[in-house]
Amino acid sequence: MGVGVVVVYHHVTMRLIPLLTAAQETHGHLSEPVLRDLARAANVPLHRLQQLVSFYPHFRTAPPPRVELAVCRDVACHLAGIPKLQELHGGDVAVQEVSCVGRCDRAPAGLLNGTPVHLGGVDAVKRWVTGEAPAFALPPPQRWALDPYPDERYGAVRTLRDDPAGADRVIAELKASGLRGMGGAGFPTGTKWELVRQEQRTPKYVICNADESEPGTFKDAKLLADAPHLVIEGMLIAGQVVGAAKGILFLRHEYLPEKARFDAALADAPLGGFEIEVFVSPGGYILGEETALLECLEDRRGEPRNKPPFPGTHGLFNQPTLINNVETFANVPGIVANGADWWRALGTDGCPGPKLIAVSGHVEKPGVYQVPLGTTVRQLIELAGGVSGGRKLLAFAPGGASSNWLPADRADVRLDFNELAKAGSMLGSGALVIVAEGADMLEVAANVTRFFRNESCGKCVPCRVGSEKAVEMLESRKSLDVLPELGEVMALTSICGLGQVAVAPALSILKHWPELREG
């Protein structure tokens, strides 16, 4: 067996996580004999592989069952009503709850042997479990307003390659446009690119973070499916500007249908010597944090690094690295091709450019909507068909599970970085989660906090212990007066953003609904 395994793996780049991924695809699981053969093939100690297998949830050490049904337990699916399917568990059928699977527009959602499924019909699920294969197909691609090309593509990068002063022009246009990072932090894109360009050390890297794993967030998946050429061109332009010869799309493993669309577009792209690798994540929300992502790419456990230094100067393999998310890169070709003024005009006064927002929860038409930045929450809800069932709005989170909840009387707030900050929340990952009247907001608070507890990497004590204590308080509905102090300690002492915001959404609920403190 050993010789055969070595032959198979020598066809794969000898990096450990891709090796483990390929081995699991070949054998179904990572048994000890397989891991030993891998260790010999890669010339590493066995414990190096075991460190990775024990950390990343996508790896398994036991054979998979005939049917594996992963049921999402997080906020969009919680609001939709998670069906009771545990009666199906047993024998060669395994039913387990998992963290968000990125299909919030199909809530309640799950994965059946890796295929995305809508779990709203229990009878259909039972048919699938007994042998009828579920079907899943991405809808036909749609064209978004941020796409500058009516027909022929990649004009911006072709022009840039022939322009000796093109890199400086691109940075100037990005700064003039006001484009900010669309992954949550909102850092000015032009400034970030300039910092990496100014670094003298080479090689440099460009990384597209497509590991959106926060409940309510699925807009980047839509862009990868509909406009992969824009993402690719954005990465090509970035490589040209900052002086990088390699780019990496870091993709969550639940997005394999989107990967197929991206791969097809990549095969037709004019790369011009720039290499783009698609790296499939071995799982875990923490990998959306940029330094945890880098640790994963370097074949280590995805535990965030202390900052500074920042990735722009000391990123992948300690080299200068530009990291942006999918939506940020997709906006770049239009700005370069048509100019900053064209892109700014797609927004509203004082709020430049367009914004993709994933809408989920208690809404009639969940999905991804492109709106001018500065559109109000109320307008977006109306665009999505209104609150489901004709109910009244109770609350909303404008930026995904990590953003603070706001009550219905704030629905006229504009979807804008600064306006939402003034209102006490954030635009975050671009995910509007709607809650209708009648919902138990304390249970919503517990649900969101459980997600952060479940996804904590465990590296730092404040996050590991604090998130567990917070869940205990919210589930028991006791000692809630202590929660603000706990949240403050976690915000001040946790290493990364997960621990720093883990309790914040729950605290926002207690702030706006103080009667919930009384249990």
Side-chain angles (χ1 to χ4, degrees):
M1 173 182 170
V3 174
V5 172
V6 172
V7 170
V8 171
Y9 299 140
H10 277 178
H11 286 84
V12 185
T13 303
M14 296 297 279
R15 284 162 56 193
L16 301 184
I17 289 178
L19 280 174
L20 290 167
T21 300
Q24 183 160 290
E25 289 176 356
T26 300
H27 300 282
H29 70 291
L30 299 171
S31 65
E32 185 171 342
V34 168
L35 288 175
R36 289 187 181 278
D37 282 334
L38 269 179
R40 283 192 292 269
N43 194 28
V44 296
L46 179 61
H47 71 80
R48 278 284 286 117
L49 300 182
Q50 291 170 331
Q51 285 176 340
L52 300 173
V53 171
S54 64
F55 182 85
Y56 292 109
H58 187 51
F59 295 137
R60 63 170 83 242
T61 56
R66 179 185 64 84
V67 174
E68 186 172 50
L69 179 60
V71 179
C72 177
R73 62 193 164 202
D74 291 316
V75 64
C77 293
H78 166 75
L79 293 171
I82 301 172
K84 299 185 184 301
L85 298 168
Q86 286 302 318
E87 65 182 59
L88 303 177
H89 183 85
D92 60 355
V93 177
V95 179
Q96 61 176 338
E97 290 188 346
V98 297
S99 291
C100 181
V101 298
R103 306 292 173 183
C104 310
D105 53 337
R106 298 167 181 257
L111 299 171
L112 192 138
N113 290 343
T115 299
V117 290
H118 172 66
L119 301 176
V122 176
D123 290 340
V125 176
K126 290 179 178 179
R127 290 197 304 272
W128 297 333
V129 166
T130 56
E132 179 184 319
F136 176 82
L138 293 172
Q142 68 178 93
R143 188 170 184 272
W144 298 91
L146 55 82
D147 189 343
Y149 301 115
D151 39 55
E152 186 177 354
R153 307 194 182 282
Y154 296 102
V157 72
R158 288 191 177 102
T159 301
L160 176 63
R161 287 169 178 165
D162 296 330
D163 183 357
D168 292 332
R169 180 178 65 83
V170 168
I171 288 176
E173 289 287 356
L174 290 177
K175 287 184 175 181
S177 72
L179 176 65
R180 297 168 67 169
M182 300 295 190
F187 191 83
T189 303
T191 300
K192 177 183 277 193
W193 286 34
E194 185 176 49
L195 290 172
V196 180
R197 174 172 169 77
Q198 290 172 345
E199 286 295 312
Q200 298 301 308
R201 292 183 301 120
T202 57
K204 299 178 182 179
Y205 299 95
V206 170
I207 297 176
C208 179
N209 186 347
D211 195 57
E212 59 174 356
S213 303
E214 187 164 296
T217 305
F218 49 95
K219 64 178 177 60
D220 285 351
K222 185 65 173 167
L223 269 177
L224 288 171
D226 288 354
H229 52 279
L230 292 182
V231 182
I232 293 167
E233 187 175 16
M235 295 177 69
L236 293 174
I237 293 171
Q240 189 83 6
V241 169
V242 306
K246 178 169 183 175
I248 299 172
L249 177 77
F250 190 96
L251 182 72
R252 67 178 298 184
H253 66 265
E254 293 93 345
Y255 284 175
L256 293 184
E258 288 78 8
K259 178 180 181 296
R261 292 254 181 107
F262 187 88
D263 287 343
L266 190 60
D268 292 332
L271 300 182
F274 186 80
E275 177 191 356
I276 294 182
E277 172 192 354
V278 179
F279 183 98
V280 178
S281 164
Y285 168 72
I286 193 63
L287 299 184
E289 198 280 331
E290 60 183 8
T291 64
L293 179 155
L294 293 173
E295 290 289 294
C296 180
L297 286 173
E298 294 180 11
D299 283 330
R300 289 193 284 267
R301 295 159 71 93
E303 297 174 341
R305 303 172 181 175
N306 291 319
K307 293 186 288 190
F310 294 94
T313 59
H314 296 78
L316 186 62
F317 307 121
N318 212 36
Q319 294 297 119
T321 303
L322 174 69
I323 306 177
N324 281 128
N325 85 316
V326 170
E327 186 181 0
T328 308
F329 280 119
N331 275 286
V332 169
I335 294 171
V336 177
N338 293 342
D341 291 341
W342 171 83
W343 188 82
R344 291 180 67 90
L346 296 176
T348 59
D349 288 342
C351 303
K355 184 75 187 78
L356 266 68
I357 306 288
V359 183
S360 64
H362 292 150
V363 64
E364 285 289 347
K365 297 187 293 183
V368 177
Y369 295 84
Q370 181 174 291
V371 295
L373 198 65
T375 299
T376 68
V377 168
R378 191 182 308 279
Q379 289 171 329
L380 181 52
I381 293 174
E382 291 172 357
L383 189 63
V387 180
S388 59
R391 292 171 289 181
K392 293 183 178 180
L393 177 67
L394 174 62
F396 62 93
S402 61
S403 64
N404 288 344
W405 292 83
L406 296 173
D409 61 12
R410 306 285 179 89
D412 289 315
V413 65
R414 300 170 78 193
L415 289 162
D416 169 64
F417 293 97
N418 298 328
E419 293 298 316
L420 283 169
K422 291 177 185 177
S425 191
M426 62 180 179
L427 187 59
S429 55
L432 178 63
V433 183
I434 303 300
V435 178
E437 281 191 350
D440 183 341
M441 288 304 295
L442 202 55
E443 180 50 42
V444 170
N447 180 278
V448 172
T449 310
R450 277 195 296 269
F451 168 79
F452 291 115
R453 178 203 62 189
N454 295 338
E455 294 298 318
S456 171
C457 76
K459 179 177 181 179
C460 66
V461 173
C463 178
R464 183 178 69 245
V465 177
S467 60
E468 181 64 43
K469 293 296 182 183
V471 170
E472 290 176 6
M473 293 175 190
L474 289 163
E475 289 183 340
S476 67
R477 308 195 175 205
K478 296 178 180 178
S479 304
L480 294 178
D481 55 326
V482 182
L483 197 60
E485 185 177 357
L486 175 60
E488 182 179 9
V489 171
M490 291 176 66
L492 291 172
T493 58
S494 296
I495 291 176
C496 81
L498 189 154
Q500 293 163 10
V501 304
V503 182
L507 291 176
S508 68
I509 287 174
L510 294 178
K511 172 185 175 181
H512 293 295
W513 291 271
E515 66 275 11
L516 297 177
R517 290 176 183 263
E518 302 170 6

